[in-house]
Amino acid sequence: MSKITRKLKSYAADKPALWSSLKKAQEWKYDIDYHTYYGKLGTQTASTTEINVEFCSNCNLRCSFCALDHSKPKSYMSVAVLNRIFECLLADVRFKRVNTINLHNGGETLMHPERMKLFKRIAHYRNLFAAVGQPFPKIVLLTNGMLLRTKLAEELISLKVLDEVGFSLDGGSPEAFEALRVNAKWERFADNVRNVIALKKEIDPQLKTFGISIIPKPHPLNNTWMDPDFKAVTELLDSVEYRRLHDWGGQVDIGSKSVVNKKGCSMLMRQMVVLPNGDVSVCCNDLNSQGVVGNILEEELYAIYKGEQRLRYVRLLKQGRKSELELCKNCVSF
């Protein structure tokens, strides 16, 4: 989903009439995209524009609003899986619309024990793409920031593999931050952000930084009301997206629910998720592998994209039959 779309969604979240209009516009857009990419006369070019790559399935935090099942077995992405992703993109022109690789999903990317080996592998593919004159996707890391201490930050920024690094900073005050993001410590987080900003200015000024901040009601979706220390950290970043809580497709109780049986889904149309073991899921809301439609070690990525398991989602959502999809039936977000 584009930044413009995400910002519009955040803005519309507190405005029912605008939210309803946005949902209707999304239905129309999905209908157009369906006929463009999946209809009888549809192009062979994939509708996918971004791929989420999950380095590891576990997280060091226990955020109160997160749907991640911390009891499930922990898994870590191998170089073989990562190679497979980029080889598919390099060799298959049908994925030419993929312009972004998001290095996040449910787990904390930086918990991977061989994270630098994977980052270096991405740098290797950046060079391969350049050698054949093929545009390389933007590489975006989203992290909770707790592990990005000076040594790791310096090593990672020096590699110049990232185009953007984002931080999750919720609540609006140090106290609210620690209450929402259980196990996180504000002072360590703030120090790590400040170090990243200093290192990026010194090593890679082109690196963009951003924040994603969940704001509880009734506070407005901006930083004008925030604690001064918290606000100061938000102002170090190039941009911050302010959001309301969402329920991860109905998996988390946030105190209110209004399921709308709308047609279509922009996430399904534009996104694919590759999990640590090579499984491919349809949506970044799927933190616990309910929407797996194939495995990249067993099939080509395009075969999964056009496979019957994924097309079932595409068709049922086109028909407004989301109630038949276990992953989607309670989703109100997209």
Side-chain angles (χ1 to χ4, degrees):
M1 188 189 304
S2 72
K3 286 186 177 180
I4 293 175
T5 303
R6 289 198 300 266
K7 287 181 179 179
L8 184 58
K9 279 177 159 301
S10 295
Y11 178 74
D14 297 335
K15 300 171 176 61
L18 182 56
W19 183 254
S20 177
S21 297
L22 179 60
K23 292 286 189 183
K24 183 58 66 176
Q26 286 182 308
E27 289 187 10
W28 292 337
K29 183 66 166 64
Y30 188 92
D31 198 52
I32 292 169
D33 285 340
Y34 180 88
H35 290 293
T36 301
Y37 296 102
Y38 301 96
K40 290 182 179 179
L41 301 177
T43 175
Q44 289 299 300
T45 300
S47 63
T48 308
T49 59
E50 62 181 51
I51 296 175
N52 280 25
V53 176
E54 185 176 65
F55 276 18
C56 65
S57 64
N58 57 315
C59 185
N60 50 331
L61 303 189
R62 296 295 183 269
C63 298
S64 59
F65 50 84
C66 183
L68 184 64
D69 178 6
H70 294 282
S71 67
K72 68 181 182 180
K74 308 301 183 284
S75 58
Y76 301 92
M77 182 168 285
S78 66
V79 171
V81 171
L82 190 66
N83 284 346
R84 182 75 163 164
I85 297 168
F86 284 100
E87 289 293 342
C88 285
L89 297 182
L90 182 63
D92 197 333
V93 70
R94 292 172 295 189
F95 282 111
K96 64 183 179 181
R97 285 172 51 81
V98 174
N99 55 36
T100 305
I101 301 290
N102 296 306
L103 300 180
H104 62 84
N105 202 55
E108 166 55 43
T109 301
L110 299 180
M111 288 193 72
H112 195 295
E114 296 186 304
R115 56 207 173 195
M116 289 308 301
K117 181 183 289 187
L118 297 185
F119 284 123
K120 289 175 181 176
R121 201 64 192 159
I122 296 174
H124 166 76
Y125 278 103
R126 186 188 291 275
N127 292 333
L128 282 184
F129 275 61
V132 297
Q134 185 169 329
F136 193 68
K138 177 172 64 176
I139 305 297
V140 181
L141 170 68
L142 178 64
T143 174
N144 63 45
M146 297 307 297
L147 302 177
L148 199 53
R149 296 187 177 94
T150 303
K151 185 174 183 289
L152 175 58
E154 183 174 8
E155 190 175 5
L156 185 51
I157 294 172
S158 296
L159 189 59
K160 296 188 177 180
V161 68
L162 299 177
D163 297 289
E164 298 183 12
V165 57
F167 298 91
S168 298
L169 67 164
D170 306 314
S173 71
E175 296 77 16
F177 174 85
E178 292 183 358
L180 286 167
R181 305 191 68 76
V182 179
N183 293 344
K185 300 301 178 186
W186 171 256
E187 287 303 327
R188 181 189 300 171
F189 172 84
D191 284 346
N192 288 350
V193 172
R194 285 190 283 262
N195 286 338
V196 166
I197 299 300
L199 287 166
K200 97 152 191 158
K201 289 178 180 177
E202 176 186 342
I203 301 170
D204 187 9
Q206 307 248 341
L207 177 67
K208 301 296 184 185
T209 59
F210 67 94
I212 295 178
S213 185
I214 290 175
I215 304 301
K217 292 182 178 180
H219 297 297
L221 292 170
N222 57 52
N223 69 358
T224 58
W225 57 274
M226 291 181 175
D227 174 273
D229 289 343
F230 196 101
K231 182 179 179 181
V233 171
T234 68
E235 291 177 345
L236 290 173
L237 303 169
D238 293 319
S239 64
V240 180
E241 179 186 338
Y242 299 104
R243 298 178 177 176
R244 295 299 186 205
L245 281 170
H246 70 88
D247 65 357
W248 294 102
Q251 298 176 70
V252 174
D253 182 6
I254 60 173
S256 63
K257 183 178 290 292
S258 178
V259 177
V260 179
N261 194 32
K262 77 178 189 72
K263 297 180 181 179
C265 174
S266 58
M267 304 298 286
L268 174 66
M269 186 63 66
R270 303 297 178 194
Q271 187 182 78
M272 298 176 81
V273 179
V274 182
L275 303 174
N277 65 349
D279 281 347
V280 177
S281 176
V282 296
C283 176
C284 65
N285 260 344
D286 180 23
L287 303 190
N288 299 306
S289 305
Q290 288 183 290
V292 171
V293 292
N295 186 287
I296 200 170
L297 294 178
E298 299 169 1
E299 299 177 84
E300 293 289 340
L301 187 59
Y302 192 82
I304 297 171
Y305 165 81
K306 271 295 181 74
E308 195 54 43
Q309 290 187 74
R310 183 174 176 277
L311 288 182
R312 178 171 177 265
Y313 282 85
V314 172
R315 291 167 182 152
L316 288 178
L317 287 169
K318 166 73 167 61
Q319 298 163 11
R321 295 163 61 189
K322 68 194 288 285
S323 60
E324 298 178 36
L325 296 166
E326 187 65 28
L327 175 64
C328 306
K329 65 181 182 181
N330 293 319
C331 182
V332 301
S333 300
F334 302 101

